[in-house]
Amino acid sequence: MSLFKARDWWASVLGEGEEFDQGCLCVGDVDNSGSGYDKIVVGSFMGMLRIFSPHPAKPEEQMEADAQLLEVQFPDPIIQVEMGKFVSCSELLHLAVLHPRKLSVYAVSGTAGNVEHGDQYQLRLVYEHNLQRTACNMTYGPFGGVTGHHFICIQSMDGMLMFFEQETYAFGRFLPGFLLPGPLSYCIRTDSFITVSSTRQVECYRYETLAVATDADTRQDSDQQSKSSGKRLTADWTLVLGEEALDVCVPHTSSAMSSIFVLGERNLFCLKDNGQIRFMKKLEFNPSCFLPYGSVSEGSTNILMCNHNNMLLVYQDVTLKWVAQLSCVPVAVRVANFPELKGLVVTLSSDGHLQCSYMGTDPSFFTAPKVDAREVNYDEVDTEMKMLQKVIRGATKTQGITQRKPVVLFNAEVIQCPECVLYSQVKIKSRSAVQSPKMTVCVQPPLAVTQDQFVLDSMGMAFSVCLSGSCLYLNDLSLCLSGIPRVSQCKFNLPLRLVCYPSSAIKNAKYKITVDTNKPPVNLNEVFPDFSEKSENNESSALGFQLITGSKVIVLASKTSQRYRIQSESFEDIWLVAKELVQRFDQHFASLGVKDFRNSFTGPIPLPEYFETVDHHFELRVNVQKYQDLLSERAVQFRAIQRRLLTRFKDKTPGPLQNLDTLMEGTYRQVIALADAAEDNRERLIQAFTRLQSATHLLILLLSLWQGLGSEQTAILEATLLPLLQDTPQLGWEESVDAAISHLLKTCLSRSPKDQAISLSTGPLTIPKDTSRLKKHITLLCDRLGKGGRLSLTSEANVPTTVMMPGQKYLTLEAFMQRGVI
């Protein structure tokens, strides 16, 4: 299937600032010329009626020089125009024009001209009906089986069907349960009217049922209608669509079978005349209008459909046969026959773009010009090449200067710890002029900044970083400087003094970890000079850190070995000090010129302590769902009591309340208490997730020191264990980490190639029942890493990997297996 553009045969733009809609277009032999060719009638909301007889323009004349036959200005807006046999004493076609409060029927006639101006057309009023209600749309047909004439049915905005037997008003009927008007069409075979109500269902009413129903001179409710004369109006059949309908059409293709086409917002429905669905087509676009018409294949129907992507699609039932590109979005489409071409597609847009087009291709007569074959002057080419290379080198040199990364200098001043504010000053320097660069400051919660976006008109700015929560374990800050044509980033850690201050050291604590080094012990006061000055303990082997949240972390240095112990009463509080200790050790020995310094951790990995943090976070997540369920139950109970009380209060013979008011007050207090508890649980969950992040960072640090992981493997481990910045009701930490670890265990950490062939589950991630599976996978991850497994983005497995054991040479996994280590 190819996509072609609809070929313009004739086009015109109608007026300026006029609006058009679905019923403003109709085609037919409105002047009864007998030639078999159609004219185009267009009405607008501005009250302008135009009639066209299009034909292709000759090269020497304008496109629409004599195509417009008539133009008449009416004082009222035109809602819909239709052609039919609307006059009792004539079987000729007449034009029905529907205004908001008037229905007018006109005769269009043409008089042959004797001069070069051509034929003259005029519009003559035959009759009109003044409407008591505001009209919405209309349909016409041989109601009741009448032959040779057409009657008109108008639907009002308040749901009344008004029937006109040509010059006479017949009767009116109100549709039951009406709220908003919908599209209206008439089925000749069953003599019934099809509409779509505001309840999104198709309703069918027979003309006979409408004729014998209760008179609707004034609107009455169902009780009054049942007491008056006549029958109550009921639908012959209904069908629920489940969506709004844009249009309803019943093409007259066969007398043996009628098909009802309903165009919805997302689907196309084809129904039998008894309400059963023949087929349904799900649309992948937003349709704007459609037109079913007869097909050359018996038993099928062709459908023209336009959408809001300026596309014209041709379907044969549900099969797409052709697609063409239009120049606008049509609101109405018709098929017409003109003198030089039959079956043209006529489209009208909402702003008055009227177009007649056909679908196909035009041959291209373009031929490529001949190349001027001339001899090449190699000396001129060589000179030009040298000049261009010189220009390129100059541009590249200039571009390299202008696109150098700016130098970011960070100066910080720490004030008193109780305020927890760090005033920062950032300076950006560049070798070339930078015009209005933008800088973004990114911090992780619970850190916050007073201003996160800046436009640097001058190369200087200031902002402050503060603590926005009751717990703090992360101190990363990232600066992003963006300008044209590049973006520069600078990431660094905030000072440790932002989150803690010196404290006295204690000897005992609940949680302890030990970091080993391969160099002699150092003085902790030299490694932490910003904490040793105000420390209450002047000993070089112990240093205390008091976190703002209240926890205390102690660092103890062994006097006889190369080991350092970090201990605290809170497991997750160890992370920040341990990270700072490892980083400052690297910087300290690097400043001394030591190149072979290495930190290590001999284990065991504190998984039981880590799992306590995981279980606490998961318990709070489960409580969130419990509080939601309880709030839902109490809310349902509260609304039920309200309804019961309202019924008692409206009763004309009031009775006792039977303690419903007391029950309502108690339920209200329960709802408030549950809401407060849910809010408190939400705040605790945020704090628990921050603590879980800190504990996870500590676990990653210990694993990297334990196995000597490189930066790439550490980054993969961080992406696996910390995939989320924050929990959401749809996706939580537990299920995300479980899925990521399962992927590693089946790829790079798998035991055999058979495990890699196992396909991963692609189902949706949901909160698990418990954390046993997650803890099992984390334990297995640590075990695989301890046995020499490598973290990689590829699915390599069972590859000989070199690992180093303390006091031994480098051995492969095969050597470990031979020696019985694994």
Side-chain angles (χ1 to χ4, degrees):
M1 181 185 68
S2 301
L3 176 63
F4 297 98
K5 178 182 178 182
R7 314 304 302 181
D8 292 341
W9 185 76
W10 179 87
S12 178
V13 179
L14 310 181
E16 295 182 0
E18 298 188 40
E19 295 183 9
F20 304 83
D21 203 354
Q22 178 179 338
C24 296
L25 173 67
C26 70
V27 296
D29 190 12
V30 67
D31 60 343
N32 299 283
S33 62
S35 60
Y37 301 128
D38 297 326
K39 280 80 176 176
I40 303 176
V41 181
V42 182
S44 72
F45 289 163
M46 299 297 291
M48 190 70 70
L49 180 69
R50 299 179 178 90
I51 302 178
F52 297 91
S53 178
H55 60 82
K58 297 179 181 179
E60 64 275 4
E61 68 179 2
Q62 297 294 329
M63 179 70 74
E64 47 180 321
D66 57 348
Q68 184 168 337
L69 305 181
L70 184 65
E71 180 175 322
V72 179
Q73 174 69 53
F74 291 101
D76 300 320
I78 299 176
I79 300 176
Q80 190 172 346
V81 289
E82 296 290 350
M83 297 182 196
K85 302 175 182 180
F86 302 134
V87 180
S88 58
C89 58
S90 174
E91 293 188 0
L92 299 178
L93 292 179
H94 288 75
L95 179 64
V97 180
L98 179 62
H99 302 284
R101 288 281 184 166
K102 184 192 303 183
L103 172 65
S104 303
V105 177
Y106 297 92
V108 181
S109 59
T111 304
N114 296 324
V115 293
E116 61 182 2
H117 295 293
D119 300 340
Q120 298 180 3
Y121 287 82
Q122 61 181 356
L123 198 67
R124 179 175 58 87
L125 178 64
V126 180
Y127 64 88
E128 65 180 10
H129 294 285
N130 294 317
L131 307 179
Q132 301 298 323
R133 302 178 183 275
T134 304
C136 175
N137 51 26
M138 68 175 176
T139 185
Y140 69 95
F143 304 161
V146 65
T147 57
H149 298 287
H150 291 156
F151 296 159
I152 298 176
C153 174
I154 300 176
Q155 181 181 202
S156 67
M157 297 296 293
D158 58 351
M160 182 179 180
L161 297 183
M162 297 171 283
F163 293 87
F164 297 89
E165 296 181 356
Q166 297 174 345
E167 296 89 346
T168 306
Y169 170 73
F171 57 90
R173 299 289 184 266
F174 276 109
L175 295 177
F178 179 85
L179 180 61
L180 294 173
L184 182 67
S185 185
Y186 174 71
C187 179
I188 297 179
R189 183 175 178 274
T190 59
D191 192 22
S192 57
F193 297 88
I194 315 298
T195 185
V196 180
S197 65
S198 57
T199 57
R200 298 182 176 181
Q201 66 178 6
V202 184
E203 298 179 355
C204 175
Y205 298 93
R206 291 186 178 272
Y207 180 75
E208 181 182 0
T209 304
L210 293 168
V212 300
T214 306
D215 195 9
D217 294 334
T218 59
R219 183 145 198 171
Q220 302 169 343
D221 56 22
S222 59
D223 294 337
Q224 293 176 345
Q225 287 185 12
S226 62
K227 296 178 182 179
S228 60
S229 60
K231 296 182 179 180
R232 184 177 179 181
L233 181 59
T234 57
D236 187 46
W237 54 262
T238 60
L239 176 67
V240 177
L241 293 181
E243 61 179 317
E244 296 291 341
L246 303 180
D247 196 5
V248 176
C249 187
V250 184
H252 310 306
T253 57
S254 174
S255 60
M257 179 185 63
S258 296
S259 296
I260 302 171
F261 289 87
V262 182
L263 179 63
E265 295 176 332
R266 286 294 181 183
N267 297 278
L268 173 66
F269 302 89
C270 179
L271 315 177
K272 298 180 181 179
D273 50 20
N274 59 358
Q276 297 180 357
I277 297 181
R278 287 186 56 200
F279 61 82
M280 184 184 75
K281 172 69 176 178
K282 184 175 180 58
L283 307 177
E284 299 179 355
F285 48 80
N286 294 328
S288 60
C289 59
F290 83 133
L291 176 68
Y293 64 97
S295 173
V296 294
S297 301
E298 186 177 356
S300 62
T301 305
N302 288 349
I303 306 167
L304 290 177
M305 188 175 301
C306 305
N307 60 21
H308 288 275
N309 297 329
N310 295 9
M311 307 297 297
L312 174 64
L313 302 97
V314 182
Y315 290 91
Q316 185 175 11
D317 290 341
V318 296
T319 305
L320 181 62
K321 292 295 186 180
W322 196 267
V323 180
Q325 182 78 37
L326 297 174
S327 59
C328 58
V329 179
V331 295
V333 58
R334 300 290 186 270
V335 176
N337 298 323
F338 297 111
E340 299 185 13
L341 193 60
K342 294 183 178 181
L344 283 174
V345 179
V346 182
T347 56
L348 176 66
S349 67
S350 60
D351 55 355
H353 187 89
L354 182 63
Q355 180 180 355
C356 298
S357 57
Y358 58 91
M359 291 168 288
T361 58
D362 288 337
S364 176
F365 298 101
F366 172 77
T367 57
K370 294 183 179 180
V371 180
D372 185 12
R374 59 184 178 87
E375 295 183 0
V376 179
N377 190 335
Y378 292 99
D379 294 335
E380 294 181 359
V381 171
D382 187 47
T383 304
E384 183 180 2
M385 179 65 69
K386 292 180 179 179
M387 182 188 65
L388 293 176
Q389 289 179 348
K390 183 178 180 181
V391 173
I392 292 173
R393 283 194 298 268
T396 305
K397 184 177 180 180
T398 305
Q399 185 179 10
I401 295 175
T402 57
Q403 292 190 358
R404 287 182 181 271
K405 290 187 177 181
V407 180
V408 180
L409 300 179
F410 181 84
N411 297 324
E413 177 186 0
V414 181
I415 65 170
Q416 297 297 327
C417 291
E419 295 183 2
C420 308
V421 179
L422 174 67
Y423 293 100
S424 312
Q425 186 178 7
V426 179
K427 294 182 179 180
I428 297 96
K429 293 183 179 180
S430 178
R431 295 187 179 182
S432 61
V434 182
Q435 298 181 356
S436 301
K438 298 179 181 179
M439 195 186 79
T440 303
V441 183
C442 304
V443 294
Q444 296 186 15
L447 285 177
V449 292
T450 54
Q451 185 177 352
D452 59 351
Q453 293 185 356
F454 301 87
V455 178
L456 305 181
D457 295 332
S458 60
M459 294 291 100
M461 47 157 265
F463 61 92
S464 59
V465 182
C466 59
L467 177 64
S468 63
S470 60
C471 55
L472 178 59
Y473 305 99
L474 306 177
N475 63 338
D476 295 337
L477 185 142
S478 176
L479 298 180
C480 178
L481 181 66
S482 61
I484 298 176
R486 67 175 302 161
V487 175
S488 297
Q489 293 184 351
C490 177
K491 184 177 181 180
F492 52 90
N493 294 331
L494 295 175
L496 187 62
R497 287 293 300 273
L498 177 64
V499 296
C500 62
Y501 53 89
S503 176
S504 60
I506 58 176
K507 300 299 182 180
N508 297 320
K510 182 178 180 181
Y511 301 99
K512 304 174 184 179
I513 65 169
T514 302
V515 177
D516 296 340
T517 61
N518 59 350
K519 297 298 177 182
V522 298
N523 190 341
L524 293 179
N525 293 330
E526 296 179 2
V527 180
F528 293 92
D530 48 342
F531 285 85
S532 60
E533 297 177 358
K534 300 180 181 181
S535 176
E536 299 177 2
N537 191 350
N538 295 326
E539 296 181 3
S540 61
S541 61
L543 201 61
F545 302 86
Q546 179 66 50
L547 296 179
I548 297 174
T549 56
S551 301
K552 185 178 293 187
V553 182
I554 308 302
V555 178
L556 300 176
S558 176
K559 298 180 180 180
T560 58
S561 62
Q562 307 162 358
R563 311 182 72 182
Y564 302 86
R565 173 175 294 177
I566 309 171
Q567 59 186 22
S568 175
E569 293 296 328
S570 177
F571 176 73
E572 58 272 5
D573 290 350
I574 301 177
W575 141 246
L576 198 57
V577 177
K579 167 195 169 186
E580 194 76 15
L581 180 68
V582 172
Q583 291 180 349
R584 294 201 182 195
F585 275 169
D586 293 336
Q587 296 172 1
H588 175 74
F589 286 100
S591 63
L592 297 179
V594 179
K595 298 182 179 180
D596 59 344
F597 173 76
R598 186 173 60 87
N599 295 295
S600 63
F601 176 75
T602 57
I605 300 297
L607 289 181
E609 294 83 355
Y610 177 68
F611 289 156
E612 292 179 2
T613 309
V614 174
D615 291 336
H616 177 63
H617 174 262
F618 182 76
E619 180 183 358
L620 294 176
R621 284 192 63 195
V622 174
N623 290 341
V624 170
Q625 187 62 40
K626 291 181 179 179
Y627 282 124
Q628 289 180 354
D629 295 340
L630 289 174
L631 274 173
S632 178
E633 293 177 2
R634 294 299 182 268
V636 171
Q637 178 180 334
F638 187 74
R639 289 192 294 268
I641 298 173
Q642 279 184 322
R643 288 193 295 268
R644 294 287 299 272
L645 279 174
L646 185 60
T647 304
R648 294 292 180 91
F649 290 147
K650 286 185 176 182
D651 194 356
K652 295 181 180 180
T653 59
L657 297 180
Q658 296 179 350
N659 296 325
L660 286 177
D661 52 344
T662 305
L663 184 59
M664 181 177 178
E665 182 180 358
T667 306
Y668 174 75
R669 291 178 178 177
Q670 290 180 3
V671 170
I672 297 300
L674 286 173
D676 293 340
E679 182 65 20
D680 179 67
N681 185 81
R682 186 187 66 83
E683 295 178 358
R684 292 168 56 194
L685 178 61
I686 295 175
Q687 297 180 10
F689 185 75
T690 306
R691 295 179 181 275
L692 179 61
Q693 284 181 305
S694 179
T696 306
H697 276 295
L698 178 59
L699 179 65
I700 295 172
L701 176 64
L702 297 180
L703 288 174
S704 61
L705 295 178
W706 182 39
Q707 293 298 319
L709 302 180
S711 58
E712 295 183 358
Q713 297 189 61
T714 304
I716 295 175
L717 195 60
E718 289 180 352
T720 302
L721 297 178
L722 290 171
L724 301 175
L725 292 178
Q726 188 61 50
D727 276 329
T728 61
Q730 294 78 20
L731 186 63
W733 181 86
E734 285 79 7
E735 55 266 29
S736 302
V737 172
D738 189 23
I741 295 179
S742 299
H743 177 76
L744 291 180
L745 295 177
K746 293 180 180 179
T747 53
C748 60
L749 296 180
S750 61
R751 293 181 176 177
S752 62
K754 295 181 179 180
D755 296 339
Q756 298 181 8
I758 300 177
S759 60
L760 298 176
S761 175
T762 58
L765 297 181
T766 58
I767 183 172
K769 296 181 180 180
D770 50 39
T771 58
S772 58
R773 172 186 170 91
L774 173 63
K775 292 188 287 188
K776 177 182 177 181
H777 285 172
I778 294 177
T779 305
L780 190 58
L781 172 69
C782 297
D783 181 66
R784 297 277 178 90
L785 289 176
K787 293 179 180 179
R790 292 188 305 165
L791 295 174
S792 175
L793 296 179
T794 61
S795 59
E796 299 175 355
N798 298 326
V799 180
T801 307
T802 58
V803 296
M804 186 182 72
M805 298 293 290
Q808 297 182 3
K809 298 181 180 180
Y810 287 94
L811 300 175
T812 62
L813 287 176
E814 287 78 359
F816 273 101
M817 296 175 66
Q818 292 175 1
R819 298 189 180 189
V821 178
I822 300 180

